[in-house]
Amino acid sequence: MPEPNNNNGFYIAERGGLPRFRAKLRHKGSLRVAFLGGSITEGAGASEAESASWRALTVQYLQRAYPGQTFEFINAGVGGTNSSLGAHRFEEHVLYSGPVDLLFVEFSVNDGEERSESVRGMEGIVRKCRRLSPEADICFVYTAAPKNLTGPLPFNIAVHEEVAEYYGIPAVNFAFRIYEGMQAGGIDWSILAPDGYHPHDAGYALYAGYMQEYLVSALSGPAGGAPEPKAWPAVPLEAGNYEYGIMLPYSAAAYSAEFRTAVLLPDDPLMNWRFSTEHKAAEQPGAELSFTVTGQSAGVLLLYGPDSGIFEYSVNGEPFTPVNLFDDWCLNAYRPIPVLFPVRTTRGPLSVVIRNTGQKDVNSKGTGLRVLKLLGN
């Protein structure tokens, strides 16, 4: 893994920088800045997410530094989600108003320990952004968590750096600065982020300070027109990356009569989702839905919670595979959980059938199957 190419060690990897965004700032106009990530981008732990999170403080910095600009800021942070789902929800949550000019991507905490899946997600986001919003600059952001504070370049950050290096994307490593401060004795992360993940206001202020330090450097320099986008690698790191990932409405599937349209009630516990909870629901064994997408993979985004059961799926007539997603988080609230079926070697039609088995985890209160979105790639 190449080390970041700059004088700040593992802190800032400048690479291609933010040249197009810097050039656009020289001219009055309207610029769209998006923040794509998990709960730390959304602002969990801050006293007020829209004023004290690193995202909100970065927004405030850009507004102060460039008062002649009109900005639109997009909060595409969704708690508990990883880069794989980020690639699938990119068009709906990032590009809903049109192309963006600057994209921050933060998933180093929520991505798992499987390198290929993490690359598929992060590379998919990059390639999708460059294809659908080609004038955008991209910046990766790495935040702190116990697994990201084990050394200068822990696994999850190293995998994201592999993608960043391949595509020349700058990265700001908040986690390294926290790690460095902990090693020197100047930072007590247990005070700044008692749960190890979500900073309180003082921790978010540190994050925002690190980002501001980078932006001051990246956005300064001589005026001039935006450079032509550099050619990007024709061959991806992962052939099955989620560049063509898409999140479809639940209505794109066909449902058996057991399904009903439902929404969560105001007093139903919900976490990690601030969008519509309208979905299709069924409890009966044998309740079935089917849909077809074209690509290398398919999946479904379920609204999973205290009364969710075990379901099974089949792709292109293959034997059904049972899936039990119930975990300790389900005891307390509903949340969106993506299920991505195995990636195929080639693109083609994928006919998916999902059935309610009528069975449940020993800790579940029911056998519900709640379909929020359909996924394809």
Side-chain angles (χ1 to χ4, degrees), residues 4 38 57 70 87 105 128 134 173 192-193 204 226-227 232 243 259 261 274 284 305 329 334 347 357:
L57 294 171
T70 300
V105 184
K128 181 187 289 283
N173 193 342
L192 294 173
Y204 274 127
W232 54 323
E243 176 184 352
F259 277 92
T261 302
R274 61 182 188 280
Q284 300 90 334
W329 292 103
Y334 294 98
R347 298 181 63 81
T357 66

Side-chain angles (χ1 to χ4, degrees), residues 148-272:
N148 286 350
L149 294 174
T150 58
L153 200 63
F155 174 81
N156 285 76
I157 292 174
V159 173
H160 287 199
E161 277 289 275
E162 189 178 346
V163 177
E165 181 72 20
Y166 192 66
Y167 289 98
I169 294 169
V172 184
N173 193 342
F174 298 169
F176 175 73
R177 286 296 294 269
I178 299 298
Y179 168 79
E180 190 179 47
M182 291 171 62
Q183 295 301 303
I187 290 178
D188 187 339
W189 190 237
S190 68
I191 293 176
L192 294 173
D195 69 354
Y197 300 87
H198 304 101
H200 290 171
D201 289 4
Y204 274 127
L206 280 181
Y207 279 0
Y210 302 153
M211 179 55 71
Q212 181 175 331
E213 183 179 338
Y214 169 64
L215 292 176
V216 167
S217 171
L219 300 180
S220 62
E228 288 295 321
K230 293 182 179 179
W232 54 323
V235 178
L237 288 167
E238 286 282 336
N241 73 78
Y242 299 127
E243 176 184 352
Y244 296 98
I246 191 168
M247 191 165 67
L248 301 168
Y250 69 77
S251 58
Y255 295 85
S256 63
E258 295 87 352
F259 277 92
R260 69 188 186 281
T261 302
V263 295
L264 293 186
L265 300 175
D267 57 348
D268 286 331
L270 175 67
M271 62 186 293
N272 296 342

Side-chain angles (χ1 to χ4, degrees), residues 55-77:
R55 170 181 53 80
L57 294 171
T58 301
V59 165
Q60 294 166 27
Y61 164 71
L62 288 171
Q63 290 173 324
R64 288 195 312 270
Y66 302 95
Q69 287 290 342
T70 300
F71 290 102
E72 178 186 351
F73 295 102
I74 296 171
N75 174 13

Side-chain angles (χ1 to χ4, degrees), residues 83-166:
S83 65
S84 299
L85 182 58
H88 286 80
R89 63 185 180 86
F90 187 85
E91 289 168 77
E92 183 169 327
H93 289 172
V94 174
L95 299 184
Y96 60 84
S97 292
V100 298
D101 300 291
L102 177 60
L103 174 69
F104 295 101
V105 184
E106 173 270 313
F107 285 113
S108 67
V109 169
N110 287 351
D111 273 7
E113 300 304 312
E114 185 184 345
R115 174 200 167 274
S116 290
E117 185 64 17
S118 186
V119 171
R120 280 194 286 263
M122 294 299 287
E123 182 174 45
I125 290 168
V126 170
R127 293 181 72 91
K128 181 187 289 283
C129 184
R130 291 196 175 182
R131 179 168 52 84
L132 300 180
S133 188
E135 294 301 316
D137 283 327
I138 304 172
C139 178
F140 284 4
V141 180
Y142 310 137
T143 57
K147 66 180 180 181
N148 286 350
L149 294 174
T150 58
L153 200 63
F155 174 81
N156 285 76
I157 292 174
V159 173
H160 287 199
E161 277 289 275
E162 189 178 346
V163 177
E165 181 72 20
Y166 192 66

Side-chain angles (χ1 to χ4, degrees), residues 3 6 8 31 45 66 154 184 233 250 258 270 275-276 284 291 297 305 330 343 362 371:
E3 292 189 8
N6 64 88
N8 292 302
L31 296 176
Y66 302 95
Y250 69 77
E258 295 87 352
L270 175 67
F275 310 99
S276 171
Q284 300 90 334
F291 64 95
S297 60
C330 295
V343 176
V362 66
V371 181

